[in-house]
Amino acid sequence: MESIHERLDKIEYHNRLLARMYEENGKYPFYRLVIEQGLTEEEVEGVFHLCDEIQKKMHEQMEEGLLSRTSLLTHFVGMLDMKLKPLPTIKAIQSQEEKYTNLMTELLSASPEN
């Protein structure tokens, strides 16, 4: 009989395999990153909270007439969970989360790597 630890390891392995079954640019690329990087529910909520915070700052900057989004990108990268790489995360959220499409587009345009 398998131990709980062995069963948990097998479930985690199967989750990673399921994540790989979906195309890189499939319908849920951010969730794929979440599974691959082993983020917890709280860590994912933190990413979405960060997006909400930066989106609010972006709207404030737009009202003030500021055109550069570099400070927003810097804030996002600095506060993003260390398990996630910024550019793939931005692209994944842009593809998956309609609520943040404009924000992620602005962050991509500010990125020197894009």
Side-chain angles (χ1 to χ4, degrees):
M1 179 173 234
E2 289 180 301
S3 72
I4 289 181
H5 181 70
E6 290 169 332
R7 290 179 70 197
L8 182 58
D9 285 344
K10 184 168 51 172
I11 289 169
E12 288 175 350
Y13 172 67
H14 288 170
N15 278 336
R16 287 192 306 275
L17 290 176
L18 285 169
R20 290 185 184 140
M21 287 173 51
Y22 291 97
E23 298 175 24
E24 187 102 8
N25 297 319
K27 190 173 181 181
Y28 300 103
F30 180 66
Y31 291 160
R32 181 173 186 244
L33 281 177
V34 167
I35 293 168
E36 288 176 345
Q37 299 307 315
L39 270 70
T40 65
E41 185 174 356
E42 292 80 21
E43 290 168 329
V44 173
E45 288 174 8
V47 172
F48 288 134
H49 177 73
L50 175 62
C51 290
D52 288 335
E53 179 184 331
I54 292 176
Q55 187 162 274
K56 181 180 176 187
K57 287 183 180 189
M58 182 180 74
H59 290 299
E60 290 171 359
Q61 285 186 0
M62 291 170 76
E63 287 176 5
E64 294 172 3
L66 298 174
L67 301 176
S68 176
R69 303 290 181 246
T70 305
S71 64
L72 297 175
L73 177 63
T74 302
H75 184 79
F76 182 81
V77 170
M79 298 302 292
L80 186 63
D81 190 287
M82 292 177 60
K83 295 176 186 174
L84 297 171
K85 294 180 182 175
L87 194 55
T89 301
I90 291 170
K91 289 179 179 180
I93 293 173
Q94 181 186 37
S95 298
Q96 179 179 316
E97 299 295 326
E98 194 172 307
K99 176 181 179 181
Y100 303 117
T101 302
N102 291 339
L103 172 63
M104 296 301 134
T105 300
E106 291 291 331
L107 294 180
L108 281 174
S109 70
S111 173
E113 294 179 25
N114 191 27

